[in-house]
Amino acid sequence: MDKLEMLQQWVRESRNIVFFGGAGVSTESGIPDFRSVDGLYRQKFDYPPEMIISHTFYEKNPEYFFRFYREKMLPLGFEPNITHRVLARWEEEGKLSAVVTQNIDGLHQKAGSKKVYELHGSVLRNYCTRCRKFHSAEFVKNAPGVPRCECGGIVKPDVVLYEEGLDQNTIEQSIWAISHADLLIVAGTSLTVYPAAGLINYYRGNRLVLINRDETPYDSQADLVFHQSLGEIISRL
Ligand code: OAD
């Protein structure tokens, strides 16, 4: 039996799949990732991108932060791809219990997934830092300069910046899902950003599958590894 046949069999047998993903899940929708050759972090800006999307920078230079955020991190108008759609179908069929994602684009929900744990937040949720009023992503996209609520407060995207903590509830629910999974599929992530990457250590089974174009630090821990395009593999499951 080759690797793909084995994965096909595991998926057939599973009743409790958990999918853990990153930016590579959305590249086939047209949204660039961070660390591939054509990723966001390989482009040249006035400051290193990791610095721009840090809390300190956001506080000190919100004008620049929002210009960068709007142009590079606010992916509006993109559609789910085959991976998002297959995962939504598995959930509907009762085979998949959760998607844990580092992505902020909302494409899993757009494809129909219900149980999605967004470790790094979502561009679709934006709140006034003064009165807590909700604002849409379009509001932030179209605001001139720093987006401001009618009350005058800055509207901040519910996206985890560097130096900020992750939502504790989301972490706990992700850990619960991962530790109860019969099959854990980790895909489209370089597994270099913590604490997110460390969550896969909570998996207790023996069906850990890694699908990623580039190598990752966790390749040797996986039971099956595919260095291929995610869509290519998922479309055959
Ligand atoms: P990265 O850009 O670090 O990694 C994406 C991985 O996906 C790369 O290793 C690619 O090889 C792989 N990849 C890209 N397209 C693929 C495809 N079609 N099929 C298979 N593999 C593909 O993105 P993340 O691991 O998600 O955090 O990055 C983690 C975090 O770093 C992000 O959530 C973001 C960033 O800073 C915050 O903004 C807080």
Side-chain angles (χ1 to χ4, degrees), residues 20-28 31-36 38-41 50 53 73 81 101-104 119-120 159-162 166 187-194 196 211-216 226-232:
F20 179 97
V25 172
S26 293
T27 52
E28 290 171 50
I31 304 172
D33 66 10
F34 300 94
R35 296 176 181 81
S36 291
D38 49 357
L40 183 60
Y41 292 171
E50 287 103 324
I53 54 175
M73 296 185 65
N81 61 49
T101 183
Q102 299 163 85
N103 296 348
I104 56 177
L119 295 170
H120 293 158
V159 163
V160 179
L161 304 178
Y162 281 94
L166 277 57
T189 170
S190 60
L191 292 173
T192 51
V193 174
Y194 286 80
I211 310 170
N212 203 60
R213 254 182 343 221
D214 295 302
E215 287 181 12
T216 81
F226 298 85
H227 288 144
Q228 274 165 272
S229 136
L230 184 52
E232 223 170 83

Side-chain angles (χ1 to χ4, degrees), residues 61-101:
N61 196 345
E63 289 79 14
Y64 195 101
F65 170 86
F66 276 106
R67 201 169 346 124
F68 181 88
Y69 175 80
R70 251 187 226 111
E71 277 177 30
K72 301 294 176 186
M73 296 185 65
L74 191 44
L76 295 184
F78 292 92
E79 292 302 323
N81 61 49
I82 180 80
T83 300
H84 300 104
R85 291 198 302 271
V86 167
L87 295 173
R89 192 187 77 216
W90 286 350
E91 184 183 23
E92 173 118 20
E93 291 170 355
K95 296 179 71 62
L96 176 140
S97 52
V99 170
V100 180
T101 183

